[in-house]
Every structure is written in structure tokens, then in C-alpha cells.
Amino acid sequence: MKKKILKNINNFDLKRLFLDFVKTLAVYLVATGCALALNGAAVMNDNIFGVYMLAVAIISVTTGSYIWGVLASIGGVIGVNFFFTFPYFALNFSIAGYPVTFTIMLLMSVLASFLTAKVKTAAILSAEGKKRAETLTDMSQAILTAGDYDTIAEMAAEYFYKTNQCSVVVYLGSPMHPDIEKFKTSSDADENIFKSILEQQVALSAYESGKPTGADADHSIHNCKGTYFPIGTQDIKYGVVGFLFDDTKFILEDTYSFIDVMISQTILALQKQQMTEQAQAILLETEKEKMRSNLLRAVSHDLRTPLTGIIGSASTLLENGAMIGEDTSKKMLTDIQQDAEWLIHMVENLLSVTRITGGTTTLKKQDEIVEEVVSEAVMRIRKRFPNSRIDVTVPDELLIVPMDATLIEQVLINLMENSIRHSGSSLPISLRVSNKRSGAVFTIADKGKGIDPSRIPDIFDGKTNKGSSDSSRGLGIGLSICKSIILAHDGKIYAENNISGGASFTFVLPMKGESEHAQ
């Protein structure tokens, strides 16, 4: 589109036309009355035309078009001739020298009208420029703080609408199949225009060509009502922004340039969000690699210990079976059985962690009754440790939490097993469930020796204590798996020592409807 200083395409508005006519007539009559009063008082008899020039300036400022100022200029010349030139109250342009005099007066009056209109236009442009500068500043501060693509698109549509005072659509991705689309329109009809096949095809053309396309940008496209600008760089296409420019509005010379500046701000926000997500992906991958390394170390340690015991006991029985007493032989076979069962439990843990971190399976979350999940986990741990004592406390009300029940049972079993194995106490352990604002809170506590404070910060990272023996096997990998499962549920898990002695392991699961907020 060829740039213009000012394009003002006015629809035929009878109300506005009538108001401008009334203003012009009123100012003209007041000016004539003042001129007659000054003439009767013998004041400014030779400069009576200055009164009409002042009226022309006032009319040019208060009306919507310079045409009224031109008409007032002509009326002023006629008024001076009719009221203040002999013969009075009669038009007579045949007096010697009058045509030249009145022509000069008319030109002066018209020039004053145009100058006034120009000053008015300059004031409008100045006010609009100031408003745009403020809008751009607000947009820069706001859009760069957006936390996701949806918010960026929504804020961009809002600021484009506010600045250009016309209906706007913002597409992220191809306009035909956008990832995100945001409308900011003055009416439902405008939104339906944007959704028409023709408009979407024109928007797609702007997206693919990287150039403005549409009604005010490419006159070769017929019947198109929108104007579309690509959002992107030479290397990356982000989307398109479209406008339905209203013919009754001013389209300033720098409208397109200012739109380009706003698009640049939008691109900066999109690039910032893209880099943030890339950084998060890198950080997540780094954490995954760290967890894999820790798990590998823990697995190597935790598998080697029971396997060594199994091999040692089996070798002893094979080589010296005849010389070993029945009780000793039975004890060694029992140890082999327990170590084998523990290895099976370890494999279950590894399968659980593979399911979460492998990326091939999503969590099968369903609304589960917490009391039933806890009951199943306690029943299984009591089968494994018949002599264990567990005090269970659950809320009186029915507590329903979205979860993968199998995995949460695995967490409860791992934590209870750790408390039974590593607390160093024969006192009962407790499993408490409570309903709090943060979500459903599960706490497994013992009354044993507690946790070495230096281990608490990284106890869930899969690190194995170098000084661990057979009695401490499984602590690293079990807790690491617990952490993976709880994080996959958008929850949190932590450990602490109790003031009264012993240690507590607590995890929190979002209640129904809270998972999206937590994420």
C-alpha cells in the first residue's frame, strides 16, 4: 500500500454532517453579530474581516473537515460585502478594485482555514504518536513476562486491537490449522469474517510468503476485507496477525511501520519463550541423565549384594552340603529365597521407573479412593514382613485422588519397607493420610535412629552410601523411584527427622482439579 500523509474516508453520516453544519452556522452568526456590534460602536471598522477570520479558525478546529472552514471563508467574504460595504445590505462586487480585494481576502481566509486544519491534524498525530509510544512501552513490559504461547498470543491481540482500534486475529502456526488463535473483535460478524475460507487463504498467503497481504496491502486480491502481516523472521515462521481496518478510522502514514514494531515485540516474546522451553528441556534432560547415572550406580550396588549372597550360599551348599547341619542348611536356603524375592521386588521397581522415564507410556490416572490404595499397600507389606507393626490413620471423610494406583502403592511399599529395614527400631511405624490445602498428604514415620542430616538433601537422587552394607541395600534406588513416581503425578516428596526421634517421609498428591494448577 502506498503510504499517505492522512487517509480519511468518511461514510456519509447525516448526524455528523448536521452537527458540523449547526456549529458552522452558529459560529458564523455569532461572528456576524459581533462584527455588527463593533461596527456600530465605531470599533475596528477597517479590520472587520479579522472577526470573520477568527470565526474561520474556530470552525476549522471544532468541525470534522476543513470543508466547513472553506465555506466559512466564503461566507465571511460575502458577509463583509453584504453588511459592511456600501451599499449596505446588498451584494455589490462591481466597485472598482473590489474583485481583487475580496479575492485576496478570500485566499487569506481559505489559507487560515487550511493552516488551522493542518495544526489540528498535527495535534491529532502528536496525540496518537504519544498514545502509541505508551502502548508500545506497556506491551514490551507485559508481553515479555508472559509464561506461555497462549498468553503471548492473547496479549498481542489485545495490544494490536487497542492501538489500531479495529478487529484483530492472531494465529500462531499456519492460519488454516493454527496451534493457537486469538480473536479480539468489535462484533461476532468480524470474527465470522476472519473465519471465512477466503480470509484464511489470504492469511495463509501472508504466512507462506512472509509479506503483508490483503485488502490494504495487495489490491490484486478481490473481495478480501482483512489485511494480514506475517509474524516471523527469515528463518522461522511463527504465525500471522490480521486486521479489519475500519474505513471510518484514521489510517496514519506510519501505521504499517508501527505494526511492524509491535510484531517485532511479539517475536521477541515468542523467541524468549522458545529459549525458555529449550533451556527447561536441556535442564530436564540433564536431570534425567543425572538420575540415570545415580540409578545405575544404585542398581549396580543393590543387585550385587543379594547376588553375592545367593552365589555364596548356593556354592557352600553344593560343595559342603553333606557337612552342613539341617538347621544351617535351612537357614541358607531361606536367605537364598529372601534374596531372590528381594531381587524380584527390585525388578518391579526398575520396571516402574522405566515406565515413567521411558516416555513410551503415560500415567493411567483414575480417581481412586485413598483408603483402598493404602489398605492394599499395607496388606502387601505385611505379607512381606509378617512381624512388622504398622499404625494406619486415614481421614473420616471419603478422600478421592486422581492417581495411578499401582505406582502409588509401589511408593507406599518402598517407603514402609525402608522404615522397617533401616530405622533400627522394632517399634511400630505409622502411615498417616490427611486432607490439606496443598493436597492429599501421605506420611510414613518411624521411631528409629533417623537420617544422617548430610544425606537428606539428596536422599531421593538415587545415590548410594559408600559405607552401606547388606542391611542398607535398596535405600538409594527405592527412594529415587518414589521421587520419579510422585513428580510424574505433579506432586512433591521430602524427608525429615522427627523432633521426637526417627524419620518421616512425606509426599503430597494434588487433589482432583488441582493437577493442572500444580503443573
Side-chain angles (χ1 to χ4, degrees):
M1 171 182 156
K2 188 177 180 179
K3 292 184 178 180
K4 303 175 182 180
I5 295 179
L6 192 65
K7 183 173 79 173
N8 184 17
I9 307 175
N10 291 317
N11 291 332
F12 188 69
D13 191 337
L14 290 177
K15 182 177 180 181
R16 180 177 177 181
L17 186 67
F18 177 74
L19 289 175
D20 285 346
F21 172 75
V22 170
K23 290 178 183 178
T24 301
L25 182 61
V27 173
Y28 181 79
L29 292 176
V30 170
T32 301
C34 291
L36 289 171
L38 292 172
N39 186 63
V43 179
M44 292 181 64
N45 291 342
D46 296 332
N47 297 295
I48 207 69
F49 191 73
V51 177
Y52 284 100
M53 290 188 67
L54 177 61
V56 167
I58 294 173
I59 291 170
S60 298
V61 171
T62 57
T63 56
S65 174
Y66 64 85
I67 298 298
W68 297 107
V70 173
L71 294 176
S73 300
I74 297 173
V77 172
I78 294 174
V80 171
N81 184 274
F82 185 81
F83 292 108
F84 305 105
T85 303
F86 186 82
Y88 300 109
F89 301 104
L91 294 175
N92 184 5
F93 292 99
S94 61
I95 302 173
Y98 253 51
V100 175
T101 301
F102 283 114
T103 299
I104 293 173
M105 293 174 64
L106 178 61
L107 289 175
M108 291 176 61
S109 182
V110 171
L111 181 60
S113 175
F114 276 106
L115 288 174
T116 304
K118 189 172 182 179
V119 171
K120 180 182 177 181
T121 300
I124 293 174
L125 291 174
S126 176
E128 187 67 21
K130 181 179 179 181
K131 180 180 177 182
R132 285 181 167 185
E134 293 174 351
T135 301
L136 184 61
T137 301
D138 293 341
M139 180 181 182
S140 300
Q141 294 174 348
I143 201 169
L144 290 175
T145 61
D148 54 68
Y149 289 110
D150 190 81
T151 304
I152 292 173
E154 186 173 357
M155 294 179 69
E158 178 68 30
Y159 280 103
F160 279 122
Y161 174 82
K162 185 186 297 184
T163 302
N164 296 279
Q165 293 296 302
C166 66
S167 296
V168 173
V169 61
V170 173
Y171 298 110
L172 292 186
S174 172
M176 300 300 290
H177 304 286
D179 299 323
I180 297 174
E181 61 179 3
K182 294 294 180 180
F183 296 94
K184 185 65 178 180
T185 58
S186 304
S187 64
D188 293 338
D190 286 353
E191 185 171 333
N192 291 332
I193 290 174
F194 280 129
K195 291 181 177 179
S196 68
I197 298 298
L198 173 61
E199 297 295 326
Q200 289 181 338
Q201 288 176 341
V202 176
L204 179 62
S205 176
Y207 177 78
E208 293 178 344
S209 67
K211 297 179 181 178
T213 308
D216 289 296
D218 188 350
H219 296 291
S220 64
I221 299 178
H222 302 290
N223 300 323
C224 173
K225 296 183 179 180
T227 305
Y228 300 89
F229 298 81
I231 302 175
T233 62
Q234 293 181 348
D235 302 323
I236 303 177
K237 297 176 182 178
Y238 290 106
V240 173
V241 56
F243 301 86
L244 288 180
F245 290 118
D246 190 346
D247 286 345
T248 63
K249 304 293 183 182
F250 287 112
I251 300 179
L252 303 178
E253 176 187 9
D254 62 344
T255 293
Y256 282 14
S257 299
F258 194 77
I259 287 175
D260 287 340
V261 174
M262 296 183 73
I263 288 176
S264 298
Q265 293 294 321
T266 305
I267 292 174
L268 285 175
L270 292 171
Q271 291 175 333
K272 176 178 175 291
Q273 181 63 26
Q274 189 176 31
M275 288 188 291
T276 299
E277 291 186 354
Q278 290 175 349
Q280 290 174 344
I282 293 172
L283 179 62
L284 180 61
E285 190 60 32
T286 302
E287 289 295 325
K288 284 184 178 180
E289 287 299 325
K290 180 180 178 182
M291 181 175 289
R292 289 190 188 103
S293 299
N294 290 337
L295 283 173
L296 183 59
R297 286 194 296 270
V299 167
S300 299
H301 172 272
D302 291 339
L303 292 182
R304 184 169 56 246
T305 301
L307 285 174
T308 301
I310 290 173
I311 293 171
S313 297
S315 298
T316 301
L317 289 172
L318 288 172
E319 296 172 1
N320 305 299
M323 295 181 292
I324 299 175
E326 183 179 351
D327 292 340
T328 303
S329 177
K330 187 176 180 180
K331 173 67 169 59
M332 295 178 71
L333 288 172
T334 301
D335 290 341
I336 291 174
Q337 181 186 22
Q338 290 178 347
D339 283 339
E341 289 177 350
W342 188 87
L343 286 173
I344 291 173
H345 177 55
M346 176 66 69
V347 171
E348 290 177 354
N349 275 337
L350 291 175
L351 290 175
S352 297
V353 103
T354 302
R355 176 181 170 188
I356 295 170
T357 61
T360 56
T361 306
T362 57
L363 290 181
K364 297 178 181 178
K365 283 188 181 182
Q366 292 182 347
D367 291 342
E368 301 285 352
I369 299 175
V370 169
E371 187 173 356
E372 294 180 356
V373 176
V374 169
S375 176
E376 181 68 22
V378 171
M379 182 178 64
R380 290 178 60 187
I381 201 70
R382 280 175 174 163
K383 285 182 180 179
R384 188 173 298 168
F385 300 95
N387 297 324
S388 64
R389 291 183 293 169
I390 305 171
D391 296 331
V392 180
T393 305
V394 295
D396 294 333
E397 74 270 18
L398 188 66
L399 192 59
I400 298 177
V401 177
M403 67 172 78
D404 187 317
T406 302
L407 293 179
I408 296 303
E409 285 177 15
Q410 188 79 33
V411 172
L412 291 170
I413 290 170
N414 283 357
L415 294 178
M416 286 188 288
E417 180 179 348
N418 280 333
S419 293
I420 293 170
R421 283 182 178 275
H422 311 302
S423 65
S425 171
S426 60
L427 295 173
I429 66 171
S430 65
L431 195 169
R432 299 189 306 274
V433 182
S434 57
N435 182 8
K436 297 184 178 180
R437 290 184 61 185
S438 56
V441 182
F442 299 74
T443 301
I444 293 87
D446 61 61
K447 300 177 181 178
K449 60 186 178 182
I451 306 170
D452 182 351
S454 64
R455 293 205 60 196
I456 291 179
D458 56 10
I459 196 170
F460 293 101
D461 292 339
K463 296 180 179 179
T464 302
N465 191 346
K466 293 181 180 179
S468 62
S469 62
D470 180 66
S471 63
S472 64
R473 69 193 184 196
L475 180 61
I477 186 172
L479 294 180
S480 177
I481 290 169
C482 292
K483 178 181 178 181
S484 299
I485 293 173
I486 297 304
L487 291 182
H489 282 76
D490 301 322
K492 57 184 179 180
I493 186 169
Y494 56 91
E496 59 186 351
N497 286 318
N498 302 323
I499 297 176
S500 58
S504 294
F505 291 86
T506 302
F507 65 91
V508 184
L509 296 179
M511 300 291 285
K512 189 173 183 179
E514 294 178 352
S515 180
E516 293 81 359
H517 175 71
Q519 186 174 9

